[in-house]
Amino acid sequence: MSTYRDFTLTHRGSARGTVLRTIGTRERRSHLTAPRVPTVGIDIGGTKVMAGVVDADGVILEKIRTETPDKSKSPKVVEDTIVELVLDLSDRHDVHAVGIGAAGWVDADRSRVLFAPHLAWRDEPLRDALQSRLAVPVMVDNDANTAAWAEWRFGAGRGEDHLVMITLGTGIGGAILEGGQVKRGRFGVAGEFGHMQVVPGGHRCPCGNRGCWEQYSSGNALVREARELAAADSPVAHEIIARVGGNVSEITGPLITELAREGDAMCVELLEDIGQWLGVGIANLAAALDPSCFVIGGGVSAADDLLIGPARDAFRRHLTGRGYRPEARIAKAQLGPEAGMVGAADLARLVARRFRRATRRRVERYERYAQWGLIDSPATAERKAADLKAAELKAADLKAAEAADTKPADLGDGDTQ
């Protein structure tokens, strides 16, 4: 007869997969009753992997980070990096689940990374690979989804039932929350707003198309425009050229923002251009999705009103039905670069809750089976194992005795037959 251990090991994998697949349908009510236990959130970007232990109120208890392995490295190298960070934090904290926010496309079951532009993940079964090495349940999601969840739970989107988040970094990411539930689409890849075409035949995008939104309103677009002006030795670029000592390749987004805050006219104008394109895209999204709030996050959002002010103006100018409809609120994200990590940890807490409940139900079901005599209870299984061991020892003793009875008697030295 099977034991509880056999029953658990047999059904744990399939039950855990079923639990994870049902999360999306109950996120809204489940976060209110999720266990108030610490979980680890991990944000994997193009340059860094950030991991932190987060409590049930979204407070980061400890945070560590390392560089993202090079794109040419194997998926196993990235997996090793994640495991090392989790084990390091687990030495000092009682971790109950792990959430991964990955910069890439994650399938609808949140088990595989279909594609990651900055890593060697191509249809990578990340969740199962990590769960086989870590002793806690693992949740995988897109990093913009996890950031949006964090802003809805703890940041600028609190109290909103229809929220769209736009993350401005190297490119543009996005996420949709409706009724407190992340809308991932049929195949899990909703929210790729950055690749909406806004200029037919425009700038070439790394995705392979032309005129994508992120080619006009992102960190890459900002830096590209500044470098082009500096490379042309434009008089308006005098200050930024001097700041980098004539080395155009050293012009970065943070430097442009810094100079804009100091009043440099060119940098202010560049941020206004980026903001205006941002407002155009937001107006298009409002026509399609009609949210109550847009939350703007990512590194470029650090420019504050230098960016968001022009975005609001352009949004009002391009909004369909302007003057005859309510306008969505446009707010800067509050949680900064930790949003993806905090959101991943909080979503993982839902996994921990459901995995605990599923485990409890399996135990209860097992106990019923034992009462009905379909399987042995632990005590019965232990007693049967002891009886079997005793029977084996007794059989061994009998066999030894029989061998001794049939053995010829020893002959003395002087005896003959």
Side-chain angles (χ1 to χ4, degrees):
M1 299 291 284
S2 61
T3 65
Y4 171 68
R5 176 176 174 79
D6 297 329
F7 180 82
T8 302
L9 291 177
T10 300
H11 296 277
R12 176 177 294 167
S14 60
R16 178 177 290 180
T18 301
V19 167
L20 291 171
R21 283 193 296 273
T22 61
I23 292 172
T25 60
R26 297 195 297 268
E27 280 172 348
R28 179 175 174 82
R29 72 172 183 267
S30 294
H31 82 273
L32 299 173
T33 55
R36 297 184 63 80
V37 294
T39 51
V40 168
I42 296 178
D43 185 18
I44 306 173
T47 59
K48 57 101 175 62
V49 180
M50 186 181 348
V53 179
V54 182
D55 70 12
D57 297 314
V59 176
I60 301 171
L61 305 179
E62 184 181 352
K63 179 178 67 175
I64 55 179
R65 60 183 293 168
T66 186
E67 291 184 358
T68 302
D70 187 80
K71 183 178 180 179
S72 62
K73 300 292 181 63
S74 71
K76 178 69 162 50
V77 175
V78 185
E79 179 188 317
D80 291 342
T81 300
I82 295 171
V83 170
E84 288 173 6
L85 292 174
V86 173
L87 294 180
D88 185 4
L89 292 169
S90 297
D91 287 341
R92 297 176 296 281
H93 302 273
D94 183 20
V95 174
H96 290 254
V98 175
I100 311 290
W105 292 357
V106 179
D107 72 354
D109 288 341
R110 279 175 284 174
S111 61
R112 309 178 76 87
V113 179
L114 303 176
F115 172 78
H118 304 294
L119 297 167
W121 284 336
R122 303 293 184 268
D123 198 25
E124 182 67 24
L126 182 62
R127 186 190 69 194
D128 293 342
L130 291 174
Q131 282 185 167
S132 67
R133 300 178 62 178
L134 299 171
V136 293
V138 175
M139 185 282 309
V140 180
D141 209 338
N142 172 265
D143 58 348
N145 287 342
T146 62
W149 180 265
E151 291 292 342
W152 177 70
R153 287 274 284 126
F154 310 112
R158 281 176 294 184
E160 300 286 352
D161 275 344
H162 295 79
L163 177 148
V164 169
M165 182 159 187
I166 299 167
T167 57
L168 302 179
T170 303
I172 294 180
I176 307 164
L177 271 84
E178 184 176 330
Q181 178 181 332
V182 179
K183 310 299 285 187
R184 298 179 176 84
R186 172 62 183 84
F187 304 107
V189 296
E192 291 294 334
F193 307 138
H195 299 289
M196 299 186 302
Q197 188 184 62
V198 295
V199 180
H203 291 295
R204 176 71 72 181
C205 181
C207 77
N209 294 326
R210 287 186 179 273
C212 291
W213 186 26
E214 69 176 37
Q215 292 304 306
Y216 300 88
S217 184
S218 67
N220 269 356
L222 180 66
V223 172
R224 182 192 66 229
E225 296 295 315
R227 288 180 178 177
E228 285 182 1
L229 287 168
D233 201 22
S234 169
V236 300
H238 172 75
E239 181 62 31
I240 200 167
I241 292 172
R243 186 66 67 93
V244 298
N247 190 347
V248 174
S249 64
E250 292 184 4
I251 295 176
T252 63
L255 175 60
I256 297 169
T257 300
E258 179 185 340
L259 289 173
R261 286 185 176 137
E262 294 174 4
D264 181 76
M266 183 199 79
C267 293
V268 170
E269 182 178 336
L270 290 178
L271 282 169
E272 286 178 349
D273 289 345
I274 297 297
Q276 288 171 6
W277 276 113
L278 176 61
V280 170
I282 290 176
N284 289 338
L285 290 173
L289 302 173
D290 190 30
S292 59
C293 177
F294 288 95
V295 176
I296 313 301
V300 182
S301 68
D304 299 321
D305 278 344
L306 290 168
L307 173 80
I308 296 179
R312 290 192 179 108
D313 293 340
F315 170 67
R316 295 188 183 102
R317 288 198 306 272
H318 293 89
L319 180 63
T320 303
R322 51 192 173 277
Y324 297 95
R325 60 178 288 177
E327 290 185 6
R329 180 169 66 94
I330 299 176
K332 181 191 172 185
Q334 294 179 357
L335 301 182
E338 288 84 17
M341 180 185 72
V342 171
D346 199 58
L347 285 167
R349 192 169 290 108
L350 305 183
V351 177
R353 174 184 183 272
R354 293 187 179 91
F355 185 63
R356 283 181 168 188
R357 184 168 59 188
T359 302
R360 184 175 66 250
R361 286 175 176 172
R362 288 199 302 274
V363 171
E364 292 171 350
R365 185 164 58 246
Y366 164 81
E367 291 174 347
R368 288 198 300 271
Y369 290 167
Q371 291 174 355
W372 297 340
L374 300 178
I375 59 175
D376 292 332
S377 67
T380 301
E382 185 177 352
R383 186 181 68 253
K384 287 186 175 181
D387 292 344
L388 179 61
K389 184 65 175 178
E392 290 174 349
L393 291 174
K394 184 175 181 180
D397 290 342
L398 290 173
K399 188 174 181 179
E402 290 174 356
D405 289 341
T406 58
K407 183 179 179 181
D410 290 337
L411 301 176
D413 292 340
D415 293 341
T416 60
Q417 286 184 318

